[in-house]
Amino acid sequence: MELLEFFQQHWGEMLAKTLEHIQLVGLAVGLSILIGVPFGIYISQKERLANLVLAVAGVIMTIPSIALFGIMIPILSIINHGIGFLPAFCALVLYSQLPIIRNTYVAVKNVDANIRDAAKGMGMTTRERLIRVEIPMALPVIMAGVRMAVILTIGIAAIAAYIGAGGLGDYISRGISTSYTTMVQAGALSVSVLALGSDFLLGQIQRWISPRTADSK
Amino acid sequence: MIQFNNVTKVYQSGDKEVKAVNRVNLSVEKGEICVLIGPSGCGKTTLLRMVNRMIEATEGLIEVNGENIQSLDSIQLRRSIGYVIQQTGLFPNMTIEQNVSVVPRLLGWDRVKIQHRYNELMDMMGLDPDEYRNRYPWELSGGQQQRIGVARALAADPPVMLMDEPFGALDPVIREHLQNEFLRIQKTVKKTILFVSHDIDEAIRLGDAIAIFNAGELMQYGTPNEILSNPRNEFVSQFVGSDRTLKRLNLLTVDDLLQRVAAVRQKKQKSYKEACGGSTVRRDSDLRNALSVLLSSPTGAAAVVDEEGNAFGNITIADFERLVEVHPAQLKSIVQ
């Protein structure tokens, strides 16, 4: 009941915080796609580089988020953006690299060897093969990576409230420091709803772009 | 048209050198189907893929239309050669029309020309152009997919086609049907074709020439008849099988034999059934079965009956002699 009252009293502010959250995640994942997808495609053609890149991206994933935010602060302080939107944004871009690069790499790599062979044998250049055949076929798996990245960053962005990035995490951090349980619950609940909602939406997009096959009938 | 001169392909396997193809000399005439056949790992597919430089030859010279393929750009070369593979390799993200039009689009043909060509090819394949235009490969049966695969390879009208076991994954009935269709189409398009197969019956049926390989080496190269009647060595005779003559009979029907015999037999008999002691064979049964009937017939002859059971001719064991030295393709009624 208390929770309901909280939502009733603060709905305007909550909406603004949610939009802030979406903005942070959206911009971070957006940039991540622009970096990660071309990069994933590039390394799918360069086997040696692939192992190195995937290892580095894997290491970044293992750094606890609060520690990564901590690392960002001194670095970005140089340009006077030690706290706030920018360090959070940078950290989220780094975190979402792994699922996006890895999925892109695996998807392009796993295109049926017969189909790649046919494309080559028809006289397609590497570029034509990627654009006309391999990327369209890899798209559903790439999209799955984007979906994973979005869910991941929605959660991590909540923690970014500690370095002043705003968003729904504010309720959680403020609630904890003031021992206001309802506020923590409201924050946590809205973060989960946002994550589930985005997952559903992106799932629909993923289904829509998947080439129709015999099993999806 | 396609010429292999001392072509060798060496693979490095650990410290050892493996010769997948060993000094092969082969020449395929314009407009002919040459079937490359042999057991798995004999180098037939490697040899095929060296023609469009999907695999580079280690040594030797390959010429297509008198041009050394090494002197050509590999992309341009591939666009000028039709390529069909076993699992169709159709692009699942493209419609049938897009699949068929891939090479013309790469070559930058204009829209009207591409569409015209698509309609023409589908008609040739016996598929309705409009019905399939916007459908996707998975909606088609295996046989239909393979036909689209052949149409796609023919799209830019290349003089040379490479086919790697195109009918290998199909069931026997569909395979036979497609083989017949393929021969019918080849009669009009007259491409120079290299065709990889592991099925000696298919090779006999389709090939103007057959090249038998073992362990990277060319064992024998000749017409099906030469190979069936005169295997050069132990390997070839084992490969074609000791029942090779009977195999040929499988490919022919009673009707084929009757046509052959009718040319020399003048008078018609009144009652075929009585003259043959009651043994009958249907006109559309294959000659292997017919021979079996003749062997068990007391008179050594059998009446040929049509679908309604009316006798209209007869055959004897002696008639089979007329089939010696005849290529099945010359006899076989191609379209069934």
Side-chain angles (χ1 to χ4, degrees):
Chain A
M1 277 334 273
E2 268 182 74
L3 202 57
L4 262 179
E5 264 170 48
F6 185 90
F7 279 125
Q8 268 169 358
Q9 282 161 14
H10 298 84
W11 69 270
E13 190 198 20
M14 289 205 89
L15 204 65
K17 292 275 181 204
T18 307
L19 286 177
E20 216 170 67
H21 207 103
I22 291 172
Q23 191 188 22
L24 178 60
V25 169
L27 286 173
V29 175
L31 182 66
S32 219
I33 292 171
L34 292 181
I35 302 169
V37 172
F39 206 52
I41 292 166
Y42 179 72
I43 63 171
S44 69
Q45 308 297 314
K46 312 255 168 193
E47 197 54 49
R48 276 210 199 135
L49 195 62
N51 291 327
L52 180 73
V53 169
L54 291 177
V56 170
V59 167
I60 294 175
M61 277 286 270
T62 62
I63 304 173
S65 46
I66 200 85
L68 190 58
F69 291 137
I71 296 168
M72 289 289 158
I73 293 171
I75 298 174
L76 292 171
S77 291
I78 300 168
I79 53 165
N80 273 331
H81 281 282
I83 55 165
F85 176 81
L86 199 61
F89 175 76
C90 292
L92 294 187
V93 169
L94 284 176
Y95 275 122
S96 47
Q97 283 303 295
L98 181 70
I100 292 176
I101 293 179
R102 191 182 48 201
N103 273 44
T104 306
Y105 166 78
V106 169
V108 173
K109 204 83 202 151
N110 282 358
V111 168
D112 185 346
N114 263 314
I115 287 167
R116 182 175 292 128
D117 188 70
K120 239 180 175 170
M122 309 257 95
M124 290 192 190
T125 59
T126 307
R127 194 190 160 81
E128 285 164 339
R129 209 174 73 219
L130 282 167
I131 293 173
R132 288 172 194 242
V133 180
E134 299 189 11
I135 295 173
M137 285 184 69
L139 218 51
V141 181
I142 296 176
M143 196 60 209
V146 170
R147 206 168 143 190
M148 215 187 303
V150 167
I151 309 305
L152 191 80
T153 44
I154 285 176
I156 296 173
I159 300 167
Y162 279 103
I163 55 166
L168 290 166
D170 274 351
Y171 290 112
I172 300 174
S173 60
R174 260 196 284 153
I176 290 172
S177 54
T178 57
S179 298
Y180 185 6
T181 321
T182 314
M183 191 185 246
V184 178
Q185 285 168 348
L189 192 67
S190 11
V191 170
S192 337
V193 169
L194 183 61
L196 289 173
S198 319
D199 189 44
F200 176 76
L201 207 71
L202 292 169
Q204 293 298 310
I205 296 175
Q206 189 183 336
R207 260 186 49 189
W208 181 64
I209 60 165
S210 296
R212 278 149 293 164
T213 58
D215 17 271
S216 66
K217 220 191 309 189
Chain B
M1 194 70 179
I2 306 176
Q3 189 112 27
F4 297 90
N5 287 321
N6 268 320
V7 174
T8 300
K9 176 69 196 181
V10 180
Y11 282 110
Q12 214 64 37
S13 154
D15 302 336
K16 277 200 298 184
E17 282 192 341
V18 181
K19 283 188 173 161
V21 172
N22 194 3
R23 288 156 56 86
V24 167
N25 288 291
L26 197 69
S27 159
V28 182
E29 297 302 318
K30 188 167 191 265
E32 285 203 339
I33 302 175
C34 171
V35 181
L36 310 176
I37 192 166
S40 299
C42 69
K44 54 190 193 289
T45 298
T46 310
L47 194 69
L48 181 90
R49 288 163 63 90
M50 280 194 279
V51 176
N52 62 355
R53 293 178 61 186
M54 295 290 279
I55 296 175
E56 297 285 355
T58 316
E59 268 173 55
L61 181 73
I62 301 174
E63 284 180 3
V64 174
N65 283 336
E67 275 189 285
N68 178 0
I69 58 165
Q70 289 302 325
S71 68
L72 304 167
D73 173 54
S74 65
I75 299 294
Q76 295 306 323
L77 176 75
R78 286 174 195 155
R79 288 179 186 178
S80 70
I81 295 177
Y83 188 51
V84 187
I85 58 176
Q86 182 174 354
Q87 299 295 350
T88 75
L90 294 181
F91 305 126
N93 57 310
M94 297 184 191
T95 62
I96 299 306
E97 185 177 23
Q98 288 167 336
N99 263 291
V100 172
S101 316
V102 164
V103 180
R105 264 164 57 201
L106 289 174
L107 292 172
W109 289 16
D110 69 67
R111 225 178 209 202
V112 182
K113 195 176 165 194
I114 291 176
Q115 198 163 42
H116 183 73
R117 183 65 180 153
Y118 164 78
N119 291 339
E120 193 177 54
L121 284 163
M122 292 298 276
D123 283 336
M124 194 191 278
M125 294 297 140
L127 298 169
D128 180 5
D130 294 318
E131 190 188 334
Y132 291 94
R133 195 181 303 276
N134 295 318
R135 291 172 80 177
Y136 284 86
W138 64 267
E139 298 177 76
L140 274 57
S141 70
Q144 289 169 331
Q145 286 186 19
Q146 203 49 268
R147 268 188 259 189
I148 302 296
V150 174
R152 183 175 65 173
L154 283 169
D157 206 13
V160 175
M161 303 254 290
L162 305 176
M163 307 180 85
D164 190 356
E165 299 203 31
F167 310 133
L170 303 170
D171 70 67
V173 178
I174 303 287
R175 190 190 309 151
E176 197 185 317
H177 184 68
L178 283 198
Q179 285 168 347
N180 288 333
E181 292 255 295
F182 173 65
L183 284 176
R184 178 180 60 82
I185 292 163
Q186 167 67 358
K187 268 194 170 169
T188 49
V189 297
K190 291 195 177 60
K191 301 295 179 192
T192 307
I193 298 171
L194 270 185
F195 189 110
V196 165
S197 175
H198 63 262
D199 176 2
I200 186 72
D201 290 330
E202 181 173 70
I204 293 165
R205 179 163 212 180
L206 301 181
D208 295 303
I210 298 177
I212 300 190
F213 290 87
N214 185 34
E217 294 192 35
L218 181 58
M219 294 280 112
Q220 186 169 3
Y221 181 49
T223 64
N225 207 39
E226 278 164 14
I227 286 181
L228 284 173
S229 54
N230 199 5
R232 191 196 281 163
N233 57 30
E234 188 65 15
F235 176 81
V236 175
S237 64
Q238 272 199 356
F239 191 81
V240 297
S242 50
D243 63 338
R244 55 179 194 264
T245 317
L246 288 180
K247 271 187 182 134
R248 274 183 61 181
L249 297 183
N250 263 338
L251 302 176
L252 299 167
T253 66
V254 171
D255 246 359
D256 297 325
L257 178 61
L258 210 56
Q259 275 172 24
R260 197 81 192 156
V261 172
V264 286
R265 195 179 283 165
Q266 281 100 20
K267 62 170 191 210
K268 291 203 168 188
Q269 279 177 279
K270 278 190 183 135
S271 175
Y272 293 107
K273 269 187 190 170
E274 275 162 42
C276 299
S279 299
T280 59
V281 287
R282 275 178 61 127
R283 65 188 300 175
D284 56 356
S285 71
D286 69 61
L287 283 182
R288 193 169 174 165
N289 276 319
L291 184 62
S292 169
V293 172
L294 288 175
L295 288 173
S296 61
S297 157
T299 57
V304 181
V305 297
D306 60 20
E307 288 75 4
E308 277 89 45
N310 301 318
F312 66 98
N314 68 334
I315 51 171
T316 65
I317 291 178
D319 290 334
F320 277 77
E321 280 174 21
R322 309 230 165 259
L323 297 175
V324 178
E325 306 294 315
V326 175
H327 185 281
Q330 285 172 268
L331 274 176
K332 186 81 181 169
S333 32
I334 298 297
V335 188
Q336 285 184 325

